[in-house]
Amino acid sequence: MKFLRAAMASSLLAACAGQTASAATGNVLFNGTITATCTITINSNGTMTVSSDLQSLSSHNAGGSAGSAQVDTTGGVTLSVDPVTSTTVPASDVTATTWTPTFATTGAETISETGTATALTAPGTSTVAVNLAGTKSGSNRFSAGNYQATVTLRCE
C-alpha cells in the first residue's frame, strides 16, 4: 500500500511538472484629496519712521522697513490684510490717524503692492512684504513717543 501511494504521488508530480501555474494580477487604486490651504510664517516685524512734515508715520519713509512673512499654499486661496484695529500711541497724540496696511508678494506669486484681497492661484512659496502707513490730515501732526500698530495678514 505504501508503495502504491508513493507511485501515485510520483506519477501525479510528474504529470504536473510540465504545466505552468496560471498567473493572476490585481489593481490597487489609491485616492487622495488636498483642500486649498495655506500657512503663514512671520519672518520679521516692520519699522515705521516719521516724515519730515510729521504727517506720515510709515514703513515706506526713509529708514522704515516692511514686515516680512512667508506664505506656503496649494493655490486657490486669497491673501489680504485686515484693517488696523490695535494701536498704541503716546498720550499726547490726541488727533485721528488713518492707518493703511498694504502688501506685495514675490515667489510663486508676484503681486504689486495693494491693500485689496488678491487670489493666490499658483501653489508654492511666496514672500510677503507688509507695509503700514499712518497719516494725519490738515494741521495735525504726530507727537513724540512710541507708536505701535498690528497688521493681520490673512490667507483663506
Side-chain angles (χ1 to χ4, degrees), residues 19-151:
Q19 295 181 357
T20 59
S22 62
T25 61
N27 295 326
V28 178
L29 299 177
F30 291 85
N31 295 306
T33 301
I34 299 174
T35 58
T37 188
C38 63
T39 59
I40 298 174
T41 305
I42 303 301
N43 297 327
S44 63
N45 292 315
T47 302
M48 297 181 294
T49 57
V50 71
S51 63
S52 59
D53 68 359
L54 304 176
Q55 285 196 297
S56 168
L57 182 63
S58 175
S59 55
H60 283 297
N61 290 338
S65 63
S68 175
Q70 176 179 309
V71 173
D72 294 294
T73 181
T74 58
V77 297
T78 301
L79 186 66
S80 62
V81 285
D82 289 352
V84 173
T85 57
S86 174
T87 60
T88 303
V89 302
S92 60
D93 188 338
V94 294
T95 60
T97 302
T98 300
W99 297 101
T100 306
T102 58
F103 67 94
T105 67
T106 57
E109 296 273 348
T110 300
I111 300 170
S112 297
E113 189 168 9
T114 184
T116 303
T118 305
L120 299 179
T121 57
T125 300
S126 295
T127 299
V128 183
V130 179
N131 283 285
L132 180 61
T135 55
K136 299 282 188 180
S137 61
S139 61
N140 296 327
R141 302 289 186 265
F142 282 96
S143 300
N146 294 321
Y147 290 78
Q148 186 178 61
T150 302
V151 174

Side-chain angles (χ1 to χ4, degrees), residues 1-13:
M1 186 72 146
K2 281 186 177 184
F3 177 73
L4 183 58
R5 281 190 203 154
M8 284 178 77
S10 290
S11 62
L12 184 58
L13 187 58

